[in-house]
Amino acid sequence: MEKESYQMVDMAYPGGISLGEMVKTSVKKPLLASRKNCTGCMACVDACPHDALSAHIASDGHIYPLFHPERCIRCNRCTKTCPVINRYDHERKGCSQLYVAWANDANLRMHSSSGGVFAAVATEILKENGCVVGAVMDGFDVRHRLIEKLEELPLLQGSKYQQGDLTGIYRKVEVCLKQGRKVLFSGTGCQVGALYTYLGRKIDYTGLLFTTDLICAGFPSVFPLRCFLKNEPYTIKSLTYRDKSDGWYNDKQKRISSQNISILTETNQRIKYSGDLIYTVFSSHLLNRTSCLNCRFAKAYRRSDLTLADFWGDKDYPEEHYKGLSAVVVHSPEGERLLSESNVTFHRTSWNKFLPYNHRMVNGRFRFLNLHPGRIFAPFFFSHCSYGVLKQLYAVVPVTWRWFPYRVWHGVIMRLSKIGSRRKVKKALENMEA
């Protein structure tokens, strides 16, 4: 396992400075999103001209900005940039169009998590001497990177079930736009919102900036990943989320690629996992950052140009399931042109075929998960419990009698969350039909 990229800090106050440090320093801390509402976008870090903020992982296993009072000149650029403080409205007025789509290039498609639409769109931008921004695996960490060559595109392909560090990427996007180059920015809803608030009115990016966001399931804590890497009986060279070597979806075996995580060992052996600690924590949303349990960016009609996701639940194109299908929601005329000019096959479809299987498009609230003991006591559990006990608490493994009441409570909370999701989807469909 590689050396940790982040320093673990105890954050008693939003932004990273502890209560004791606030008492000692004479510099007033700038107004930033609270720990409860912070999305970890790191736009405030890039906005600061004197590096008075930096990215750190806190005691809950999530990334937050850390305040360095000795460098602060109180310009308040970080406050003006924060999409939470500014109450950035990620909802677009009007009606967005939903398509089922896939890349025509079979190689691009099979190396993507779903239908390869992002890779196809990115290819067109790169051919025009543009830049593409997306998440890459840096060892066992995730970071956002700006690429300028087609050969680098595979780095951005595939899913990453963890939050990345975006420090520095907003500045690079701004530089490219000022040079008059096209930029395709890919991220979650909160990250796209952060880019828009960072750029603000400093630059006219009309016709240059294109954004794609994801139907995001939230960002989990780093605890499960670190625990997995430390305790599995292999020397792990790399980890791949969403292993698609057996296909995106197998209609006969009901195998879904999102349930597969694979590792490459030191002896170059490829091992697949299903129902492991990483996947089960991610799919349950149990250890998501607090802002992800009340996401203000989960909207049907968004300010991004395109929203991309897997088209789970499709029944119209079963012959395309093995290679993968993408759902593409077009929110703007720019997004429509971007899709039509790419090497992509797409067909318009209806929301009622999509939303029931992809509730995170419109549902960002999971209030009952805050009552789960596995969430409340997560730092204690991951510090003091054995790997076997943690798998009984969080993963799909046989449960001993002592943990049976815990799993019953777990089942009740998950059931209530599913009921809430179905209600949210039903309400969204009713509003679309009105």
Side-chain angles (χ1 to χ4, degrees):
M1 182 175 174
E2 291 190 357
K3 183 180 179 181
E4 300 293 354
S5 297
Y6 305 116
Q7 175 186 350
M8 294 292 288
V9 296
D10 184 18
M11 293 175 50
Y13 264 64
I17 188 169
S18 69
L19 178 59
E21 289 171 327
M22 287 190 73
V23 172
K24 292 178 183 178
T25 182
S26 59
V27 178
K28 184 179 179 181
K29 182 183 176 297
L31 179 62
L32 295 175
S34 67
R35 181 165 171 171
K36 178 181 178 181
N37 296 321
C38 177
T39 65
C41 68
M42 297 296 110
C44 59
V45 176
D46 270 19
C48 180
H50 291 275
D51 298 327
L53 295 167
S54 61
H56 288 272
I57 289 185
S59 56
D60 63 353
H62 291 290
I63 187 170
Y64 298 91
L66 180 69
F67 180 49
H68 304 283
E70 71 280 2
R71 304 174 189 170
C72 181
I73 62 170
R74 299 188 65 182
C75 64
N76 290 323
R77 290 187 186 179
C78 54
T79 301
K80 297 174 183 177
T81 300
C82 176
V84 176
I85 295 296
N86 285 303
R87 297 190 176 276
Y88 176 79
D89 184 8
H90 196 53
E91 190 167 18
R92 185 187 294 268
K93 305 301 179 184
C95 185
S96 302
Q97 301 298 330
L98 172 65
Y99 298 92
V100 56
W102 57 86
N104 295 325
D105 186 319
N107 183 55
L108 277 183
R109 190 175 173 187
M110 286 306 295
H111 283 85
S112 301
S113 295
S114 50
V117 172
F118 166 73
V121 171
T123 297
E124 297 305 313
I125 295 292
L126 291 170
K127 285 181 178 178
E128 297 179 23
N129 194 35
C131 308
V132 178
V133 175
V136 303
M137 291 296 297
D138 180 11
F140 299 115
D141 295 321
V142 172
R143 301 187 185 281
H144 268 60
R145 180 170 169 179
L146 185 147
I147 66 168
E148 303 176 72
K149 300 178 182 178
L150 274 171
E151 306 87 77
E152 299 176 293
L153 183 56
L155 295 173
L156 306 187
Q157 291 180 266
S159 297
K160 290 88 181 176
Y161 285 174
Q162 58 193 93
Q163 185 162 19
D165 182 4
L166 281 80
T167 301
I169 204 65
Y170 303 103
R171 294 179 182 178
K172 292 181 180 179
V173 170
E174 183 180 15
V175 169
C176 288
L177 293 175
K178 286 182 177 179
Q179 293 172 348
R181 302 177 67 183
K182 288 185 177 180
V183 177
L184 174 65
F185 182 93
S186 173
T188 60
C190 57
Q191 293 166 352
V192 170
L195 176 64
Y196 284 140
T197 57
Y198 175 84
L199 294 174
R201 298 180 181 179
K202 294 185 294 183
I203 181 173
D204 181 11
Y205 46 78
T206 305
L208 295 177
L209 177 64
F210 303 90
T211 57
T212 67
D213 66 2
L214 311 171
I215 298 182
C216 175
F219 292 122
S221 166
V222 299
F223 292 155
L225 173 63
R226 290 178 173 178
C227 188
F228 177 87
L229 296 173
K230 180 180 179 180
N231 290 281
E232 285 299 320
Y234 308 100
T235 301
I236 302 175
K237 290 172 59 178
S238 65
L239 182 144
T240 302
Y241 298 100
R242 298 287 304 277
D243 190 316
K244 199 178 171 184
S245 58
D246 291 328
W248 177 75
Y249 185 82
N250 187 308
D251 294 280
K252 293 182 179 180
Q253 300 180 19
K254 305 299 180 184
R255 181 186 293 115
I256 301 175
S257 65
S258 65
Q259 297 175 355
N260 292 325
I261 291 176
S262 66
I263 62 169
L264 184 65
T265 68
E266 195 175 34
T267 58
N268 292 323
Q269 180 184 7
R270 179 69 65 179
I271 301 174
K272 288 187 178 181
Y273 289 82
S274 182
D276 61 279
L277 187 64
I278 299 174
Y279 172 74
T280 52
V281 168
F282 175 81
S283 61
S284 70
H285 316 304
L286 193 56
L287 297 187
N288 281 2
R289 61 186 307 134
T290 305
S291 61
C292 295
L293 299 186
N294 189 21
C295 177
R296 65 187 67 192
F297 299 91
K299 309 287 185 181
Y301 311 133
R302 308 183 180 186
R303 291 198 182 275
S304 58
D305 296 305
L306 299 174
T307 294
L308 304 178
D310 296 89
F311 204 116
W312 302 125
D314 171 75
K315 295 181 175 61
D316 296 330
Y317 304 94
E319 69 279 4
E320 302 292 342
H321 286 183
Y322 182 82
K323 292 182 180 179
L325 287 178
S326 293
V328 183
V329 187
V330 177
H331 302 292
S332 68
E334 292 78 11
E336 190 77 45
R337 287 197 298 270
L338 201 59
L339 185 64
S340 61
E341 293 173 1
S342 301
N343 188 20
V344 171
T345 297
F346 57 99
H347 304 279
R348 190 168 175 177
T349 187
S350 61
W351 286 97
N352 57 14
K353 293 181 179 181
F354 173 72
L355 276 187
Y357 305 93
N358 299 269
H359 65 94
R360 289 289 314 209
M361 178 77 191
V362 295
N363 179 37
R365 192 169 187 182
F366 296 84
R367 69 180 76 179
F368 295 106
L369 292 185
N370 285 314
L371 304 175
H372 198 296
R375 177 176 179 80
I376 298 171
F377 301 109
F380 176 84
F381 286 157
F382 278 90
S383 297
H384 296 85
C385 294
S386 67
Y387 190 43
V389 169
L390 288 171
K391 288 196 288 185
Q392 291 191 45
L393 291 171
Y394 295 98
V396 184
V397 297
V399 181
T400 59
W401 64 268
R402 72 182 66 180
W403 295 112
F404 184 73
Y406 171 93
R407 291 304 290 267
V408 170
W409 185 238
H410 170 87
V412 169
I413 290 180
M414 292 302 162
R415 178 67 176 172
L416 291 172
S417 296
K418 288 182 180 179
I419 292 173
S421 297
R422 286 197 294 267
R423 288 177 177 174
K424 193 76 172 180
V425 168
K426 182 179 179 181
K427 184 177 179 181
L429 288 173
E430 290 174 351
N431 291 337
M432 291 173 182
E433 294 173 356

